[in-house]
């Protein structure tokens, strides 16, 4: 055998080995993974799981399309089409000509009508229902409010609250808020009449001004007057652009009350709003005249915004606010300039529109919830993948065979990224092909940028969260709870905060730090722009829309990008300092010092000196004393022929539940020359496993150290892994990889290539009797316990390591595999034979 060591595998070689292993795993999912464990290509041994996770977004998209078609079919019924009447009937009784338009339509039908010249409607104020008008209550015991008994006959006045710095001036101006209705007014010109007085309605406002609900036949129009007279009640008939109307006119008395401060008005308005289990005590409005004088007009107006029906499940209604502003402005002018001055608000009207079909874009409205689930579906898959390798100690096993952190993180991240890109690309393309407006209306470049940042944040989050789990099953459950929980909380909690313009935007940004909420907010914005763009026949979100004041997408890009970088750094830090996966916990305070470039130590380095030499030597056996003296001499006069030198190696486990500390390894000193086979025997609890766990980097020594080929295990363990082979006490194998795939992977980590790698794999399989009969091509999950053990031995031997550690239990198994041990090789093999009883 050539004594010159093979160089360690390069970064690219290790990355290639890990990538090939991941692709092999892709063809089969570990049993602990969820049934929906995904992969980039739907074939191989993992066909069912790959198809399963691919079909899920397809089913969601198809479901949305089916529901959209059902809704469209319902909206195509006459109930939601522009109203028509037959104006010409033939001899056979069949209608020969129909007339359609808003004059024949209901509020639901008017959406689809062509309206080239919308009708003009008087500007009204919102008047409380008779039974809800403000009266004296226990929570509002103001003496100037009317008594509650007026609600019985509907005679309660409609109240307006006022305040300001100058009470007399405010009360004087407020006296003209509601001009008196004069019989001399020309009632045939109803627009002129209603622009000179204040009229209101207790009907709920509608979402457009194409039709005014207050002017439908059978409704009551309220004239708000300082005093009601008999002629202010009656019924009038008139025609608005071909729309015949007949209205009942009723007068209600206006009551203007002074309050000392705006806080009192706020209190009354808030108390008057209907609370759970309470009754509504509603006011028309409130006016704060602030510092208004004859030369300065500065007024705040309170109004009831709850009539806009601004919820997550409906459109926003048009509030009757313009008349509230006009009446106080007109009253101010009349007070300053006299009654000959008028500032009239004659009418309000909608913009002209073409005929359209009424459509309810369900996919855009529900996309935020459903698409949040679809995008986040890969999160528990990635999380389980990472935790599974830690739980099974596969990550530390790979590290003990030379795999560095750099290739592991790069390939794992790249693998998840490619998987996510393929998944999301397929999702967007399929959604576009089947006609979902969410994808077709919004700018594809914005979608690309958003999903790019999103999947990177999700990968970083998976790495970060994986540091806190040691069980793959627990991680899987928590992962899916997070997926569905964040979607539901986003749809039924977070969305209301986003749509509530009175809720502080700063708190919305704080909530968006949760990745699930930031994803939901981005999908919500895309869905809203797609919905409005589809309704108006325009495009959805473009890059120019990021400047819109109510568009939160720009904030989402910033939050997700910063969080992506932060979580990735935190994940790497936690991976280095945590011992969840069973490895050594590095000291967090000195972690960044460990990132500095290290130089391999040798026996001639000054740092290779005695340390912690004060040990208990009483009652030591002579051979132990001699071994310690040999170690002391080797430390003073280094010898390059020594493979392992252990100097005063000690391990103490902290006591728990009040128990004293446990001394596992008591100052062990040991020197092993190259080419020697050393066996360590002892009863249970003697410290054999603790000793070798320190030697292979699973446990950090309490004190003392060991040198492997001149390198300190406390400092250079990552470099030692390159020249070390380990057969662990328990078989650390991927159940769904074949025996040959295991050997190819670990052989590449030991820098074996080409024909040398092929020969090493075949020789290893033959040496442990796993070559013939195609056993090496079978999945490890189908192996017996003895076959798995033999494969673990073959893995530890591949690449001719300088130092080999093998655990055996029970002792008798040693004789079954003695033939596989190559004792003539020039490296040391260290065995731990554990038996039930040893003398």
């Amino acid at each position: 055998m050539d004594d010159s060591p093979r160089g360690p595998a390069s970064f690219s070689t290790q990355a290639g080995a890990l990538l090939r292993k991941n692709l092999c795993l892709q063809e089969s999912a570990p049993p602990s993974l969820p049934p929906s464990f995904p992969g980039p290509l739907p074939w191989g041994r993992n066909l069912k799981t790959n198809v399963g996770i691919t079909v899920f977004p397809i089913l969601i998209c198809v479901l949305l399309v089916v529901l959209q078609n059902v809704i469209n079919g319902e909206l195509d019924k006459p109930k939601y089409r522009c109203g028509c009447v037959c104006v010409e009937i033939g001899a056979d009784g069949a209608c020969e000509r129909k007339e359609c338009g808003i004059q024949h339509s209901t509020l639901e039908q008017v959406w689809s009508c062509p309206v080239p010249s919308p009708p003009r409607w008087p500007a009204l104020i919102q008047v409380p229902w008779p039974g809800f008008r403000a009266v004296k209550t226990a929570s509002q015991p103001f003496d100037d409010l009317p008594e509650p008994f007026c609600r019985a006959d509907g005679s309660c006045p409609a109240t307006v609250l006022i305040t300001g710095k100058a009470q007399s001036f405010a009360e004087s101006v407020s006296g003209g808020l509601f001009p008196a209705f004069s019989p001399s007014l020309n009632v045939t010109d109803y627009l002129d009449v209603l622009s000179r007085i204040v009229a209101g309605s207790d009907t709920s406002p509608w979402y457009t001004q194409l039709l005014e609900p207050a002017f439908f036949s059978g409704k009551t129009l309220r004239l708000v007057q300082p005093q009601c007279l008999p002629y202010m009640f009656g019924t009038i008939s008139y025609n608005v652009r071909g729309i015949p109307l007949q209205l009942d006119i009723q007068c209600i008395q206006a009551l203007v009350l002074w309050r000392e401060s705006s806080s009192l008005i706020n209190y009354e308005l808030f108390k008057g709003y209907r609370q759970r289990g309470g009754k509504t005590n509603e006011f028309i409005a409130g006016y704060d005249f602030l510092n208004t004088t004859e030369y300065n007009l500065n007024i705040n107006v309170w109004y009831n915004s709850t009539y806009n029906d601004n919820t997550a499940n409906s459109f926003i209604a048009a509030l009757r606010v313009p008349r509230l502003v006009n009446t106080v402005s007109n009253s101010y002018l009349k007070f300053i300039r006299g009654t000959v001055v008028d500032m009239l608000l004659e009418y309000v009207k909608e913009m002209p529109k073409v005929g359209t079909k009424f459509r309810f874009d369900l996919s855009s409205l529900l996309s935020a919830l459903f698409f949040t689930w679809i995008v986040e579906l890969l999160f528990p898959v990635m999380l389980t993948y990472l935790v599974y390798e830690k739980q099974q100690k596969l990550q530390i096993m790979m590290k003990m065979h030379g795999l560095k952190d750099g290739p592991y993180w790069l390939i794992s991240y790249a693998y998840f990224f490619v998987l996510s890109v393929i998944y999301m690309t397929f999702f967007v393309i399929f959604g576009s092909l089947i006609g979902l407006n969410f994808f077709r209306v919004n700018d594809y470049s914005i979608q690309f940028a958003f999903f790019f940042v999103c999947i990177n944040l999700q990968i970083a989050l998976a790495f970060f969260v994986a540091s806190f789990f040691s069980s793959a099953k627990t991680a899987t459950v928590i992962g899916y709870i997070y997926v569905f929980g964040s979607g539901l909380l986003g749809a039924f909690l977070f969305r209301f905060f986003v749509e509530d313009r009175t809720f502080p935007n700063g708190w919305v940004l704080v909530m968006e730090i949760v990745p699930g909420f930031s994803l939901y907010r981005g999908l919500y914005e895309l869905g809203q722009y797609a919905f409005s763009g589809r309704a108006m026949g325009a495009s959805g979100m473009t890059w120019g829309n990021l400047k819109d004041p109510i568009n939160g997408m720009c904030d989402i890009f910033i939050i997700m990008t910063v969080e992506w970088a932060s979580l990735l750094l935190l994940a790497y830090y936690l991976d280095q300092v945590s011992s969840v996966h069973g490895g050594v916990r590095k000291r967090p305070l000195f972690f960044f010092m460990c990132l500095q470039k290290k130089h391999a130590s040798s026996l001639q380095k000054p740092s290779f000196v005695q340390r912690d030499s004060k040990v208990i030597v009483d009652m030591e056996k002579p051979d132990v004393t001699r071994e310690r003296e040999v170690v002391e001499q080797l430390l003073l006069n280094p010898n390059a022929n020594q493979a392992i030198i252990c100097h005063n190696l000690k391990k103490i486990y902290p006591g728990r539940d009040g128990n004293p500390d446990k001394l596992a390894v008591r100052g062990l000193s040991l020197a092993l020359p190259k080419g020697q086979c050393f066996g360590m025997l002892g009863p249970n609890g003697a410290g054999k496993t603790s000793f070798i766990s320190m030697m292979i980097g699973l446990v950090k020594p309490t004190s003392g150290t060991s040198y492997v080929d001149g390198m300190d295990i406390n400092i250079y363990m990552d470099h030692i892994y390159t020249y070390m082979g380990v057969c662990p006490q328990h078989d650390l194998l991927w159940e769904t990889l074949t025996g040959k795939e295991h050997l190819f992977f670990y052989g590449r980590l030991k820098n074996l290539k080409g024909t040398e790698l092929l020969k090493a794999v075949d020789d290893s399989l033959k040496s442990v009797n796993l070559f013939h009969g195609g056993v090496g091509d079978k999945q490890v999950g189908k192996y017996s316990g003895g076959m798995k053990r033999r494969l673990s031995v073959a893995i530890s031997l591949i690449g001719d390591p300088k130092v080999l550690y093998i655990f055996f239990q029970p002792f008798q198994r040693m004789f079954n595999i003695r033939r596989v041990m190559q004792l003539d090789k020039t490296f040391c093999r260290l065995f731990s034979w554990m038996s039930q009883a040893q003398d």
Side-chain angles (χ1 to χ4, degrees):
M1 169 181 174
D2 186 3
D3 290 340
S4 61
R6 181 185 300 104
S10 64
F11 183 96
S12 59
T13 301
Q14 292 190 353
L18 189 60
L19 177 60
R20 290 170 182 249
K21 185 268 296 181
N22 285 347
L23 293 178
C24 291
L25 275 176
Q26 170 51 41
E27 297 182 354
S28 52
S32 297
L33 295 181
S36 59
F37 188 83
L41 300 175
W43 57 61
R45 289 167 283 180
N46 201 26
L47 175 62
K48 292 183 179 179
T49 54
N50 288 335
V51 170
I53 199 168
T54 304
V55 166
F56 178 75
I58 294 178
L59 290 178
I60 293 295
C61 292
V62 170
L63 176 63
L64 289 176
V65 171
V66 171
L67 291 176
Q68 185 69 66
N69 289 332
V70 171
I71 292 176
N72 289 343
E74 181 68 22
L75 296 179
D76 284 335
K77 294 181 178 180
K79 177 181 178 181
Y80 298 101
R81 289 187 296 185
C82 189
C84 301
V85 296
C86 183
V87 296
E88 186 176 334
I89 301 177
D92 57 354
C95 183
E96 294 186 354
R97 188 170 66 89
K98 290 184 178 180
E99 182 181 80
C100 302
I102 62 173
Q103 67 273 21
H104 309 300
S105 301
T106 63
L107 290 173
E108 291 79 10
Q109 293 174 321
V110 73
W111 292 84
S112 58
C113 293
V115 189
S117 180
R120 301 172 178 179
W121 300 105
L124 307 179
I125 66 172
Q126 189 69 46
V127 178
W129 292 353
F132 290 165
R133 294 173 192 163
V135 295
K136 187 186 303 182
T137 63
S139 61
Q140 293 172 291
F142 295 95
D143 294 334
D144 49 4
L145 287 174
E147 297 294 334
F149 60 78
C150 65
R151 287 184 173 179
D153 57 1
S155 62
C156 295
T159 306
V160 175
L161 302 178
I162 64 170
T163 188
K165 293 185 176 180
Q167 179 177 354
S168 60
F169 184 84
E171 289 179 336
S172 299
V173 173
S174 300
L177 286 175
F178 304 102
F181 176 68
S182 172
S184 62
L185 292 175
N186 183 10
V187 295
T188 59
D189 187 356
Y190 83 103
L191 282 177
D192 181 69
V193 172
L194 296 181
S195 66
R196 298 179 183 276
I197 61 175
V198 178
S201 174
D202 52 23
T203 59
S204 297
W206 198 239
Y207 308 108
T208 71
Q209 292 290 327
L210 292 173
L211 291 178
E212 169 56 70
F215 289 90
F216 271 60
S217 296
K219 301 296 182 180
T220 300
L221 187 66
R222 313 285 182 176
L223 302 182
V224 185
Q225 294 288 292
Q227 184 178 2
C228 289
L229 299 174
Y231 63 85
M232 298 178 183
F233 298 84
T235 301
I236 62 173
S237 300
Y238 56 96
N239 188 285
V240 180
R241 296 289 178 90
I243 306 176
L245 299 176
Q246 186 173 5
L247 287 178
D248 291 331
I249 302 296
Q250 291 188 7
C251 174
I252 58 173
Q253 183 180 352
L255 180 63
V256 180
L257 301 179
W258 168 262
R259 293 292 181 261
E260 293 297 331
S261 66
S262 60
S263 60
L264 283 177
I265 294 181
N266 277 327
Y267 173 81
E268 284 197 72
L269 295 178
F270 176 77
K271 286 295 184 179
Y273 178 69
R274 182 172 55 189
Q275 303 296 314
R276 185 180 298 273
K279 293 183 178 180
T280 300
N281 208 45
E282 190 177 344
F283 300 84
I284 290 181
Y287 292 100
D288 186 354
F289 284 82
L290 300 171
N291 58 345
T292 299
T293 64
E294 296 179 1
Y295 308 101
N296 179 47
L297 177 62
N298 186 16
I299 302 175
N300 284 340
V301 182
W302 284 277
Y303 60 91
N304 191 345
S305 64
T306 60
Y307 283 99
N308 65 5
D309 197 23
N310 185 9
T311 65
N313 303 311
S314 67
F315 300 103
I316 300 176
L319 295 176
R320 297 179 174 122
V321 175
R323 175 59 77 187
L324 291 175
V325 177
N326 171 257
T327 188
V328 71
S329 302
N330 200 28
S331 177
Y332 176 80
L333 285 177
K334 286 180 176 293
F335 178 78
I336 299 299
R337 303 294 298 273
T339 58
V340 295
V341 179
D342 280 324
M343 187 174 68
L344 301 181
L345 177 58
E346 294 186 353
Y347 59 86
V348 293
K349 63 178 293 186
E350 190 62 76
M351 295 293 292
K353 66 178 291 291
V354 298
T356 57
K357 286 186 177 181
F358 182 53
R359 286 292 180 262
F360 185 78
D361 193 356
L362 183 70
S363 64
S364 297
L365 292 181
L366 296 183
S367 58
L369 173 60
F370 287 150
F371 293 171
T372 295
W373 288 341
I374 291 176
V375 175
E376 288 185 336
L377 188 62
L378 289 181
F379 171 73
V381 173
M382 296 184 290
L383 177 62
T384 305
Y385 180 95
L386 295 170
V387 177
Y388 176 81
E389 290 193 339
K390 292 184 178 183
Q391 175 187 350
Q392 303 298 326
K393 292 184 172 62
L394 293 169
Q395 184 178 350
I396 193 65
M397 182 68 175
M398 291 185 288
K399 192 172 184 178
M400 287 189 295
H401 283 79
L403 181 64
K404 305 296 184 183
D405 286 335
Y408 177 80
W409 275 75
L410 174 64
I411 295 303
S412 297
Y413 192 97
Y415 175 74
F416 292 147
F417 178 76
V418 173
L419 174 66
S420 300
V421 167
I422 295 176
Y423 178 80
M424 292 306 303
T425 302
F426 176 79
F427 173 54
V428 173
I429 292 176
F430 182 79
S432 300
L433 291 177
I434 64 176
L436 293 180
N437 293 318
F438 180 92
F439 301 107
R440 300 179 66 180
V441 177
N442 290 312
D443 192 323
Y444 280 103
S445 62
I446 287 187
Q447 296 182 58
F448 171 80
F450 173 72
F451 288 129
F452 174 81
V453 177
C454 175
I455 61 179
N456 279 283
L457 173 58
Q458 190 163 257
I459 296 171
L461 179 65
F463 276 101
F464 174 73
V465 175
S467 303
F468 300 95
F469 289 98
S470 59
S471 170
K473 290 183 178 179
T474 302
T476 302
V477 173
I478 297 300
Y480 281 105
I481 290 176
Y482 167 77
V483 169
F484 291 101
S486 61
L488 292 174
L489 288 176
F492 299 105
L493 178 65
F494 177 66
R495 179 173 182 174
F496 290 94
F497 294 136
V498 172
E499 294 180 340
D500 186 358
R501 302 306 173 199
T502 63
F503 189 78
N505 186 61
W507 285 110
V508 173
L509 295 178
V510 169
M511 288 188 287
E512 288 171 353
I513 295 176
V514 179
F517 286 165
S518 58
L519 169 62
Y520 182 90
R521 177 67 186 277
L523 294 172
Y524 168 82
E525 295 292 350
L526 290 171
Q528 292 298 309
Y529 274 86
F531 180 84
S532 59
R534 175 67 176 82
M536 296 184 294
S539 61
M541 184 182 296
T542 62
W543 289 106
N545 296 127
L546 297 184
K547 299 179 181 179
D548 293 350
I550 61 173
N551 188 348
M553 185 62 80
C554 187
D555 294 332
I556 292 300
F557 274 123
I558 296 174
I559 291 174
M560 296 181 77
T561 303
V562 173
E563 200 167 9
W564 165 25
S566 301
L567 285 179
L568 198 58
L569 292 175
L570 284 174
Y572 184 74
Y573 175 78
L574 291 175
D575 181 73
Q576 297 300 304
V577 303
S578 67
S579 60
V580 174
H581 55 282
V584 175
R585 180 190 295 271
K586 296 181 181 179
R587 298 179 181 179
L589 293 179
F590 301 102
F591 163 64
F592 293 103
M593 296 176 59
C594 299
L595 298 179
Q596 298 177 0
K597 185 176 181 180
K598 300 174 183 177
H599 301 279
S601 66
S602 66
L603 298 179
Q604 285 76 29
K605 293 246 177 167
S607 60
F608 191 64
V609 297
Q610 303 183 42
R611 63 178 83 172
D612 198 15
S613 60
K614 184 178 180 180
V615 296
I616 301 175
V617 296
D618 295 341
M619 302 180 64
E620 282 189 341
K621 295 182 180 180
D623 57 341
V624 176
T625 302
R626 286 194 300 271
E627 189 71 20
R628 190 180 303 280
E629 292 174 352
V630 170
V631 171
E632 300 280 350
Q633 186 63 30
L634 287 172
L635 293 177
L636 295 175
N637 301 298
N639 186 345
N641 191 44
Q642 298 297 317
I644 294 179
I645 299 176
C646 300
H647 176 229
N648 193 23
L649 199 62
K650 183 184 296 183
K651 181 61 184 178
I652 300 176
Y653 293 101
R656 297 181 178 177
D657 301 327
N659 296 319
D661 294 346
K662 172 66 177 178
L663 179 63
V665 178
R666 180 189 178 193
L668 176 64
S669 293
L670 183 66
L672 300 175
K674 294 181 179 180
Q676 184 180 94
C677 177
F678 180 82
M680 178 170 279
L681 309 179
N684 291 340
K688 306 179 298 299
T689 302
S690 297
F691 166 64
I692 299 184
S693 295
M694 289 186 286
M695 296 299 297
I696 64 177
L698 286 178
V699 177
K700 192 161 185 72
T702 303
S703 63
T705 190
S706 291
Y707 299 89
V708 178
D709 197 33
M711 291 178 288
D712 192 333
I713 64 172
N714 287 318
I715 303 175
Y716 304 105
M717 199 67 221
D718 288 345
H719 197 72
I720 295 172
Y721 285 143
T722 305
Y723 306 103
M724 183 179 74
V726 179
C727 179
Q729 185 172 356
H730 303 286
D731 299 313
L732 306 182
L733 306 168
W734 286 275
E735 291 289 314
T736 49
L737 287 183
T738 65
K740 184 176 290 187
E741 288 168 347
H742 277 86
L743 292 172
F744 271 117
F745 171 60
Y746 286 110
R748 293 186 181 101
L749 291 183
K750 294 300 178 68
N751 206 20
L752 295 175
K753 301 177 181 178
T755 56
E756 184 183 11
L757 175 62
L758 295 174
K759 184 177 184 302
V761 170
D762 290 342
D763 290 345
S764 297
L765 290 174
K766 291 176 182 177
S767 67
V768 294
N769 197 23
L770 293 176
F771 181 81
H772 300 288
V775 179
D777 293 319
K778 292 183 179 179
Q779 296 182 32
V780 170
K782 300 178 181 178
Y783 284 12
S784 65
M787 296 168 69
K788 291 181 180 179
R789 198 63 188 153
R790 281 182 276 160
L791 177 60
S792 297
V793 172
I795 291 173
S796 66
L797 292 172
I798 197 167
D800 292 339
K802 289 183 178 182
V803 178
L804 177 64
Y805 305 92
I806 300 184
F807 295 76
F808 284 105
Q809 183 182 12
F811 173 76
Q812 286 76 8
R813 286 192 180 177
M814 162 50 183
F815 301 101
N816 295 331
I817 64 169
R818 168 177 272 175
R819 62 172 180 255
V820 308
M821 310 312 302
Q822 306 295 324
L823 298 181
D824 58 334
K825 292 187 179 291
T826 57
F827 50 78
C828 173
R829 297 174 178 180
L830 179 59
F831 301 92
S832 175
W833 300 339
M834 302 180 64
S835 59
Q836 296 296 325
Q838 301 281 340
D839 292 332

